Amino acid sequence: MGRQLFDMVTARRLVLDLLKPYDPDVVTTAEAVADIDGVDGVNVVLAENEEEVQNVKMTVEGDPIRVEAVYETIEDLGAAVHSIDEAACGERLVEQSKTPQD
Amino acid sequence: MGRQLFDMVTARRLVLDLLKPYDPDVVTTAEAVADIDGVDGVNVVLAENEEEVQNVKMTVEGDPIRVEAVYETIEDLGAAVHSIDEAACGERLVEQSKTPQD
Amino acid sequence: MGRQLFDMVTARRLVLDLLKPYDPDVVTTAEAVADIDGVDGVNVVLAENEEEVQNVKMTVEGDPIRVEAVYETIEDLGAAVHSIDEAACGERLVEQSKTPQD
Amino acid sequence: MGRQLFDMVTARRLVLDLLKPYDPDVVTTAEAVADIDGVDGVNVVLAENEEEVQNVKMTVEGDPIRVEAVYETIEDLGAAVHSIDEAACGERLVEQSKTPQD
Amino acid sequence: MGRQLFDMVTARRLVLDLLKPYDPDVVTTAEAVADIDGVDGVNVVLAENEEEVQNVKMTVEGDPIRVEAVYETIEDLGAAVHSIDEAACGERLVEQSKTPQD
Amino acid sequence: MGRQLFDMVTARRLVLDLLKPYDPDVVTTAEAVADIDGVDGVNVVLAENEEEVQNVKMTVEGDPIRVEAVYETIEDLGAAVHSIDEAACGERLVEQSKTPQD
Amino acid sequence: MGRQLFDMVTARRLVLDLLKPYDPDVVTTAEAVADIDGVDGVNVVLAENEEEVQNVKMTVEGDPIRVEAVYETIEDLGAAVHSIDEAACGERLVEQSKTPQD
């Protein structure tokens, strides 16, 4: 397997930039990840429809999210994680703080 | 039927980009989808009035929304789903998280 | 009557783009619609003062708003609905969800 | 009297674009309208200082605001209503809803 | 006295555009006005440092603010009110309502 | 001492534009001021890293903040107050009110 | 050790601009810091993917955060702190206050 494994890594929120085939659709993709044990909910928004694939942003929240299970489910759907745009871990969900450097 | 079927797929929120004929109007369209079992409410905003059709954004929230029933109702109204712009699934409604990559 | 009829169609919120004569004024127009049975409140903001008419945005909220009654009242005031910019229906008031496609 | 009369018209919020002389000042003007029976409070912000007059935006909230009394008080202060920018009427205060058409 | 007198005029909020000498400083200026009977609190932000003077925006809130006492205190500090940018009066504090005309 | 003294002046919030050496770091600087009696908390954000110094914005909140103690602590750290960007005084913390003049 | 030591310095929030290798990933990095005693939660967002490294913004909140422990953990992951963009210390978490000078 070329991809990095996440073993026991867990999170409270993940924001993943995904490239997915048109089939299955966005709802089926969101529901599949939402069904993973420990996931409270999933939000997927369409960023861009390209010729062969869709670029979507997936926000996953849970307590705890088992990151490896999320990756496996995404791969089973034929999609790929382009980048991890946000990860939040710990006893409570902490939001990013905006500073003048942003 | 050319369209993909959603079988038992359910969601908590759907945002659909629709192309609809002028008749029926926006309110009748919203009410028809709002009457579907499991749908709590529907919000439709006008994006653009084109010559033959209206481009509208429909936000559907429910617990659970039966996606196939929504598609069927929309088709019965003579409208078509241009794209699924957002889907939220799971035990609770999760919002998209804004990151520097947006 | 050239206009479409709304029969028993009801909503929780309507946003209407109206063209109205200067007389009656904005307050009288808002109050007339607010007095309709089922309407909780009306907000009218001035978009533009044109030579003969005013372009205003009317937000109506109620439970339920009888859409046909709203149209009749607006016509009685000598005004016309230019477009329905938003309609929200169902058991609870759902707001539009913002997505990257907006 | 050239102006339209508001008889028994009432509202929950009025936003008025006013032209007022420098004397009386903004506070005295706000207080005079705030003292009208049925008015809960008045907010006046300075839009522009012109040579002879001040252009201000007056937000009035009450339950109910007697519109005719507000106009009379404003005229007694030597000011004039340039336009009614917002009127909200009904059993509860409804805010304008933002739509893509704004 | 060239300035207008405010006699018994009271308000719940005043926003004053002030020109003040560098001495006393911004904190001393804010505290002096905050000590006036009826004033709950004062917020002063620096708009611009000019050669001889500072241009600051002073927000005063109280129940009730005696406007004449505020002006006298400001003058005692060697500062001058350039303009009254906001005045809110009445039984409760009303905020300005944003409309398309802003 | 060239600087102005603040004797018994107190505030509920101070926003200070500081020029500080790289050593001590931002956290040590924030903590030193946070330890002053009467200070509830301190927030320091980096505005700009210059060659010799850092330009930072320090927000101090407390009840009451003894301004002279804050200045002394800042000087002990080798830093200097470039300007007081905000001061809030009084029985409760009042925020600046935004007006069209901003 | 070239870096400055933080000894007993503690904070309630730290925002760190980090340069990190691609491995370990963002989630593993966030989780490692979240596991430090006194840290409530960590949020890491991707600022930029460069050729060899990732530029990320890490927001850490806790009561208290032992800054030295955070730095050590970050170094153990092969990452480096490029700058401290925000530090908040004291009995309660104070947010930066926005002023016209920003």
Side-chain angles (χ1 to χ4, degrees), chain B residues 25 28, chain C residues 1-9 68 72:
Chain B
D25 61 277
T28 304
Chain C
M1 285 254 290
R3 149 169 94 76
Q4 172 189 350
L5 292 184
F6 289 89
D7 306 330
M8 302 308 292
V9 179
E68 184 57 29
E72 284 166 10

Side-chain angles (χ1 to χ4, degrees), chain F residues 45-64:
Chain F
V45 289
L46 176 63
E48 206 172 333
N49 275 331
E50 294 165 26
E51 216 173 310
E52 300 293 325
V53 292
Q54 290 186 304
N55 177 209
V56 299
K57 177 173 85 165
M58 176 183 279
T59 303
V60 186
E61 290 190 4
D63 181 18

Side-chain angles (χ1 to χ4, degrees), chain C:
Chain C
M1 285 254 290
R3 149 169 94 76
Q4 172 189 350
L5 292 184
F6 289 89
D7 306 330
M8 302 308 292
V9 179
T10 63
R12 283 187 166 269
R13 177 192 292 156
L14 279 183
V15 174
L16 305 174
D17 184 81
L18 300 187
L19 292 174
K20 61 174 285 300
Y22 278 90
D23 183 19
D25 62 278
V26 162
V27 192
T28 305
T29 302
E31 196 180 44
V33 177
D35 285 345
I36 298 171
D37 223 27
V39 171
D40 293 343
V42 174
N43 180 302
V44 176
V45 289
L46 176 63
E48 206 172 335
N49 275 330
E50 295 166 26
E51 215 173 312
E52 300 292 326
V53 293
Q54 290 188 302
N55 176 208
V56 299
K57 178 172 84 165
M58 176 183 279
T59 303
V60 186
E61 289 191 4
D63 182 17
I65 304 166
R66 288 178 298 113
V67 181
E68 184 57 29
V70 170
Y71 266 68
E72 284 166 10
T73 303
I74 286 170
E75 282 152 11
D76 294 348
L77 295 161
V81 175
H82 173 250
S83 71
I84 305 174
D85 291 350
E86 178 181 344
C89 301
E91 286 153 40
R92 62 176 171 85
L93 183 54
V94 166
E95 300 291 344
Q96 62 160 314
S97 179
K98 298 283 173 94
T99 79
Q101 300 305 311
D102 294 337

Side-chain angles (χ1 to χ4, degrees), chain D residues 28-80:
Chain D
T28 305
T29 302
E31 196 180 43
V33 177
D35 285 345
I36 298 171
D37 222 27
V39 171
D40 294 344
V42 174
N43 180 303
V44 176
V45 289
L46 176 64
E48 205 171 334
N49 275 330
E50 295 166 26
E51 216 174 309
E52 301 291 325
V53 293
Q54 290 187 303
N55 177 208
V56 300
K57 177 172 84 165
M58 176 182 280
T59 303
V60 186
E61 290 190 4
D63 182 17
I65 304 167
R66 287 177 298 111
V67 181
E68 184 57 29
V70 170
Y71 266 67
E72 284 166 10
T73 303
I74 285 170
E75 282 151 12
D76 293 347
L77 295 161

Side-chain angles (χ1 to χ4, degrees), chain G residues 10 19 29 37-38 45 50 56 64-65 70 73 79 83 85 87 90 99:
Chain G
T10 64
L19 292 174
T29 302
D37 223 28
V45 289
E50 294 165 28
V56 299
I65 303 167
V70 169
T73 303
S83 70
D85 291 349
T99 79

Side-chain angles (χ1 to χ4, degrees), chain A residues 13 15 22-28 30-31 34 39-46 49 57 59 61 85-86 96, chain B residues 4 6 8-11 14 67 83-92 94-102:
Chain A
R13 177 192 291 158
V15 175
Y22 278 91
D23 183 18
D25 61 277
V26 162
V27 192
T28 304
E31 195 181 45
V39 171
D40 294 343
V42 174
N43 181 303
V44 176
V45 289
L46 176 63
N49 275 331
K57 178 172 85 165
T59 303
E61 291 190 2
D85 291 349
E86 178 181 344
Q96 61 161 313
Chain B
Q4 171 191 351
F6 289 89
M8 302 308 292
V9 178
T10 63
L14 279 183
V67 180
S83 70
I84 305 174
D85 292 349
E86 178 181 343
C89 302
E91 286 154 40
R92 63 176 170 85
V94 166
E95 299 291 343
Q96 62 161 312
S97 179
K98 299 282 173 92
T99 79
Q101 300 304 311
D102 295 337

Side-chain angles (χ1 to χ4, degrees), chain B residues 31-93:
Chain B
E31 196 180 45
V33 177
D35 285 345
I36 298 170
D37 222 30
V39 170
D40 294 343
V42 174
N43 180 302
V44 176
V45 289
L46 176 63
E48 207 172 331
N49 274 332
E50 295 165 26
E51 215 173 311
E52 300 293 325
V53 292
Q54 290 187 303
N55 177 208
V56 300
K57 177 173 85 165
M58 177 183 279
T59 302
V60 186
E61 290 190 3
D63 182 17
I65 303 167
R66 288 178 299 112
V67 180
E68 184 57 29
V70 170
Y71 266 68
E72 284 166 12
T73 302
I74 286 170
E75 282 151 11
D76 294 347
L77 294 161
V81 176
H82 173 252
S83 70
I84 305 174
D85 292 349
E86 178 181 343
C89 302
E91 286 154 40
R92 63 176 170 85
L93 182 55

